[in-house]
Each structure stands twice: as C-alpha cells, then as structure tokens.
Amino acid sequence: MPESDVLRGTLDLLILKVLSAEPMHGWGVSQRIQERSRGVLDVNQGSLYPALQRLEQRGLVDSEWQVTEQNRRARYYRLTAAGRRAVGQETANWRRYVTAVEYILEA
C-alpha cells in the first residue's frame, strides 16, 4: 500500500494530534508530521489545507491570521474544546482499527 493511502485515512487525526501540543500554521503542521514520523509521512499542501478547512467546518479547529517568526502573515490553527475531545476519541478509534488489522495479519 502506498504511504499516501495510509496518510489519507489518518490525516485528520494526525493534524489534531499535532495541534494538541500548540497552535501552528499549516506549513508547521506539515513539518511536524514529517518530523514525528521520522520522514515516513509527507503531507502535501493539496491535502493539508482541505483537511484543515474540513476540521474547521466541523468545529474541531479554529484559525486566525498572525505574523510568523519570519515576519510573514500566516493562518494559525488551534484546537477547539470539541477538537481536544476528538483527539482522544479518534486516537481510540485508530488503536482499535490497528488492533483489528493485527488480528487479521496474525491469523
């Protein structure tokens, strides 16, 4: 299975988890996912921003324009209270899914 297929199904969870640490702009979210996955997962901008917009529409993420350390304007995203609850629920769902796949692989 190509890595992008795995990422596609888990991108919302990965974004929520990264934003649970601190508010961040889109490029920062992308970089953090790549760093934490030790370079295995690479989120392209064409997938990231629609996912951020989707999460914002669901009320899980909020955003506002701010100035970066490089003195550039960027939209910063942060979790809402509903987003913080969703991180726990989505993580539990993901672990249940991984366990089910492991059962099948070990059979």
Side-chain angles (χ1 to χ4, degrees):
M1 176 186 311
E3 293 168 6
S4 60
D5 288 345
V6 173
L7 183 56
R8 189 175 305 132
T10 60
L11 183 55
D12 290 3
L13 172 59
L14 298 176
I15 291 170
L16 292 173
K17 182 61 180 172
V18 165
L19 290 176
S20 70
E22 61 182 314
M24 175 174 313
H25 50 71
W27 188 82
V29 170
S30 169
Q31 291 300 300
R32 189 66 53 89
I33 289 172
Q34 189 173 27
E35 288 169 13
R36 293 230 174 127
S37 70
R38 296 176 175 88
V40 173
L41 301 177
D42 185 20
V43 182
N44 69 53
Q45 306 301 306
S47 298
L48 178 67
Y49 288 100
L52 285 166
Q53 188 175 30
R54 183 174 55 249
L55 291 169
E56 194 164 18
Q57 289 171 347
R58 291 173 56 199
L60 302 178
V61 168
D62 216 354
S63 68
E64 66 178 333
W65 288 99
Q66 294 182 12
V67 177
T68 67
E69 303 86 32
Q70 289 79 31
N71 206 27
R72 294 183 179 160
R73 281 177 37 95
R75 186 174 286 276
Y76 276 73
Y77 299 88
R78 68 174 175 274
L79 290 186
T80 62
R84 292 202 179 283
R85 287 189 299 273
V87 171
Q89 293 165 349
E90 293 295 322
T91 300
N93 289 341
W94 173 251
R95 289 190 169 132
R96 200 169 26 254
Y97 174 80
V98 168
T99 299
V101 171
E102 282 293 327
Y103 288 149
I104 294 168
L105 294 176
E106 292 174 3

